Amino acid sequence: MDEQLDEKIPHRRKKRRKLRVGRVFIVFLLLFTTTISAYSYIQFKKGKAMTAGNIIDPGEFQGDLLDPKNLTTENYLLLGIDNDGSGKYRTDTMMVLSWDQAKGTAHLISFMRDIYAQIPGYQSYKLNTAYYLGGVQTAKETISGMFNIPIHHYAVVDFDNFESIMDIAFPKGLEMNVQKEMSEKIGVTLTPGVKRLNGKELLGYARFRADNEGDFGRVNRQQEVIQAVKDELFSVRTIMQAPKVAGALDNFVQTDLTSKDELTKVLTILAKRKLDLQTLRIPVEDSYSFTSYPHAGSVIEINLDKNREAIRSFLATQ
């Protein structure tokens, strides 16, 4: 009998020890989760407190429904707007980002601002005028209608706020390879060479077009900046900044996403630590010509079918 009791005692002690380890692990996990949540919340609020940008009113927005056969891919209309001095805004930057969250791939399409566009409810005009005439919904309907791209969400940033966002997200700047001296009409002077640019310099780099490349060169540089942002997002320093950046975006960027959605999506991208970003410029080569109209001035007339097919093929590789 005593021998049988002796055999059972160690077994019971071992069971209790396992239970204690399990409890410690659960407590540690709860503390870790609470700490991360608290840190994220505090940093989010800190980011909001650091920002007080211009108030943007993009108007009502109605996004398209997701494709039931591909629920993991969402298309985002990204607009960079600039005040023309009258309180009205035109879009100097127009992009559609197609993001497949399951595959971790993203396809970015940039549209030239001077494309002669069929604007629903208005006379045909330059593409960058669509937002000026009817806000984000008109810009969305113009791009989705012309190019057969469903658009599910949008984000609008005023260029007056862009440099502050960059300085908060990347306090040490972003590394860019400046190919030529740039200064005309951008508020800064950039000299050739590989260097880290702050928010104001990045904005000037992305907006410069006073050379023989004109708007084509500017669109290419905008895509370079997006690529640099994507690459820098995966550094440990930037991951720690993510909640603060989300807070800044909540003030500086108008979007149909909620603050919680914004933070979740930013953290999701960073958690993947890898994002394959492909880019396309519209119009594609050999699909456009330059002309002018009395009511619109100099415009880019495009072969719509050829550019629609280019977009279809581009997105099909996702």
Side-chain angles (χ1 to χ4, degrees):
M1 181 68 72
D2 291 341
E3 290 178 359
Q4 291 177 351
L5 288 173
D6 289 341
E7 290 176 358
K8 291 180 180 178
I9 290 171
H11 179 69
R12 287 175 181 168
R13 285 176 179 167
K14 190 174 182 180
K15 240 179 136 180
R16 289 195 189 103
R17 192 175 299 116
K18 281 185 178 179
L19 187 60
R20 291 193 191 102
V21 171
R23 285 176 177 173
V24 169
F25 176 76
I26 291 171
V27 170
F28 175 79
L29 184 61
L30 288 172
L31 286 173
F32 178 78
T33 303
T34 303
T35 301
I36 292 297
S37 298
Y39 171 81
S40 297
Y41 179 78
I42 291 169
Q43 291 297 304
F44 181 85
K45 289 295 186 183
K46 187 175 181 180
K48 284 181 68 69
M50 292 173 65
T51 59
N54 296 336
I55 298 174
I56 305 169
D57 181 14
E60 297 295 323
F61 175 79
Q62 182 64 52
D64 295 316
L65 296 176
L66 289 172
D67 181 354
K69 296 179 181 178
N70 189 12
L71 295 173
T72 63
T73 298
E74 293 181 316
N75 297 335
Y76 297 78
L77 177 62
L78 309 179
L79 302 175
I81 62 174
D82 189 25
N83 191 334
D84 65 359
S86 68
K88 297 281 285 185
Y89 290 87
R90 281 183 169 82
T91 46
D92 270 8
T93 300
M94 292 162 286
M95 300 178 176
V96 170
L97 176 68
S98 183
W99 177 29
D100 188 327
Q101 300 175 45
K103 296 179 181 178
T105 59
H107 284 48
L108 183 70
I109 307 169
S110 297
F111 298 90
M112 303 284 288
R113 52 179 264 165
D114 290 341
I115 291 172
Y116 194 56
Q118 304 159 7
I119 303 175
Y122 299 91
Q123 184 179 14
S124 292
Y125 217 90
K126 292 181 181 180
L127 184 59
N128 75 328
T129 308
Y131 183 92
Y132 179 92
L133 293 172
V136 67
Q137 185 65 22
T138 298
K140 178 261 182 191
E141 290 174 358
T142 301
I143 290 176
S144 62
M146 283 186 67
F147 300 104
N148 295 334
I149 308 173
I151 293 175
H152 310 109
H153 302 287
Y154 81 90
V156 178
V157 60
D158 184 345
F159 278 133
D160 287 343
N161 300 330
F162 174 84
E163 60 185 80
S164 296
I165 294 173
M166 291 296 99
D167 286 337
I168 292 171
F170 311 110
K172 293 189 177 181
L174 284 178
E175 185 175 288
M176 303 300 302
N177 184 8
V178 181
Q179 298 288 339
K180 63 186 73 175
E181 183 172 325
M182 304 176 186
S183 60
E184 187 175 340
K185 297 181 180 179
I186 60 173
V188 294
T189 297
L190 303 177
T191 55
V194 176
K195 54 197 67 180
R196 298 192 76 87
L197 305 183
N198 61 27
K200 186 174 183 178
E201 293 166 337
L202 281 168
L203 178 59
Y205 181 77
R207 300 192 71 185
F208 179 76
R209 60 171 180 162
D211 59 7
N212 57 5
E213 291 183 296
D215 209 34
F216 287 85
R218 179 167 68 167
V219 167
N220 291 337
R221 282 186 291 275
Q222 288 172 354
Q223 292 186 342
E224 288 176 20
V225 171
I226 295 293
Q227 286 280 10
V229 168
K230 185 266 295 186
D231 293 340
E232 191 75 13
L233 278 176
F234 303 130
S235 70
V236 174
R237 179 177 63 253
T238 305
I239 290 173
M240 297 301 292
Q241 290 283 106
K244 186 189 295 184
V245 174
L249 293 177
D250 192 50
N251 275 359
F252 276 163
V253 178
Q254 290 297 318
T255 174
D256 61 310
L257 300 172
T258 65
S259 298
K260 181 180 179 181
D261 288 336
E262 292 166 17
L263 179 58
T264 300
K265 288 180 182 294
V266 169
L267 294 178
T268 297
I269 292 174
L270 294 179
K272 288 182 179 294
R273 298 300 302 277
K274 185 178 180 181
L275 184 67
D276 179 23
L277 179 64
Q278 303 295 321
T279 60
L280 175 71
R281 187 207 69 213
I282 297 296
V284 295
E285 292 296 332
D286 302 320
S287 73
Y288 62 89
S289 60
F290 296 98
T291 188
S292 63
Y293 293 95
H295 68 284
S298 179
V299 300
I300 301 173
E301 196 95 64
I302 69 171
N303 181 322
L304 196 53
D305 289 337
K306 190 167 185 177
N307 281 280
R308 283 176 174 174
E309 177 57 27
I311 291 173
R312 190 200 63 77
S313 298
F314 179 63
L315 295 179
T317 63
Q318 197 164 25

